[in-house]
DNA sequence: AAAACTGTTATGCTTATAATTACAGATGAG
DNA sequence: CTCATCTGTAATTATAAGCATAACAGTTTT
């Protein structure tokens, strides 16, 4: 499981809490605690979905789209983490005549896909606004 | 995400489909397509939960417990894969004064835990018997 | 024209996952 | 009793995935 989903949530939350809803990759990278190039990669994908717009050149950076408060974690999961439930290594597929070995991969694939759907449905109920509120409520408990 | 959950499902399905519900780690490893030592590690954990019993010595191996048809994928997930939704690398935690950076880790942890609960609830509705039926129905479609 | 950004690719580093080896301990067969 | 066979477990090596870093072309503002 890579962390791009995590990074996306972080970036969008950060932007939504900034007064002008804007920051460049250097500033965001410091907050996320990673390299600017990694931030740019994730935010590039978010841009293609219309969640942010970018401004190149001096004083540029990433600007949060106004409606992005309604983006759900499900949207972000599907974009950045779908398929990560299924491990890269899977059992079976050998050269035996064993029924299980021959068919386990299709069965497990269905199991992982079903799990992922359940996960996505859960995340569909959490919006970016919920997350920003969570962050804020941590400061004044 | 490692594959021990996958291996556990495979092993138990295999045992349940064998006439005498028994096999040793060599035979299972061939079906799973991995090293016997890895099978033993997983099945050792399943033994501690009472899902199988082991018989050492000549002609020994693993024997499926009679009630194991009712074991759910949720049980196996909790035993072998819990916590794997949260990646090892997580954002934030830097030395900034940024609110997001300071609190994102607690928030993301709750998000991952919530996701995992949703996943477990889903898997709680799938029994080993369901999986064995799935495997069998692949052979005669 | 110069400086400050993003977008993207290539490369190296680190960590996680799987394979392999090895051996002690247990059990049944002869 | 002794040997062969099996599990349990730990240590080591190999492979793959994830992250960091560097580099540079393209774009925009000043």
């Amino acid at each position: 499981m890579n962390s791009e989903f995590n990074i996306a949530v972080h970036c969008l939350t950060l932007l939504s809490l900034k007064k002008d809803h804007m920051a460049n990759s250097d500033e965001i990278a410091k907050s996320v605690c990673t390299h600017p190039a990694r931030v740019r990669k994730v935010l590039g994908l978010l841009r293609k979905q219309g969640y942010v717009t970018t401004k190149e050149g001096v004083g540029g950076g990433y600007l949060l789209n106004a409606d992005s408060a309604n983006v759900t974690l499900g949207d972000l999961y599907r974009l950045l983490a779908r398929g990560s439930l299924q491990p890269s290594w899977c059992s079976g597929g050998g050269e035996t005549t064993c029924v299980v070995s021959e068919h386990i991969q299709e069965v497990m694939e269905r199991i992982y896909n079903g799990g992922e759907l359940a996960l996505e449905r859960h995340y569909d109920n959490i919006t970016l606004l919920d997350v920003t509120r969570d962050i804020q409520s941590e400061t004044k408990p």
Side-chain angles (χ1 to χ4, degrees), chain A residues 13-31:
Chain A
T13 307
L14 179 64
L15 289 175
S16 79
L17 285 174
K18 293 211 63 166
K19 286 162 296 283
D20 50 1
H21 300 317
M22 184 150 195
N24 68 26
S25 65
D26 258 32
E27 181 181 353
I28 298 174
K30 282 205 182 71
S31 171

Side-chain angles (χ1 to χ4, degrees), chain A residues 94-114:
Chain A
E95 294 172 357
T96 55
T97 57
C98 166
V99 193
V100 181
S101 193
E102 285 177 45
H103 298 291
I104 188 73
Q105 290 182 348
E106 317 153 44
V107 172
M108 286 305 300
E109 196 166 324
R110 282 204 293 272
I111 289 172
Y112 285 122
N113 285 340

Side-chain angles (χ1 to χ4, degrees), chain A residues 78-97:
Chain A
R78 279 182 286 275
L79 180 63
L80 298 164
R82 168 165 257 176
S84 62
L85 209 59
Q86 179 161 352
S88 45
W89 188 95
C90 280
S91 78
E95 294 172 357
T96 55
T97 57

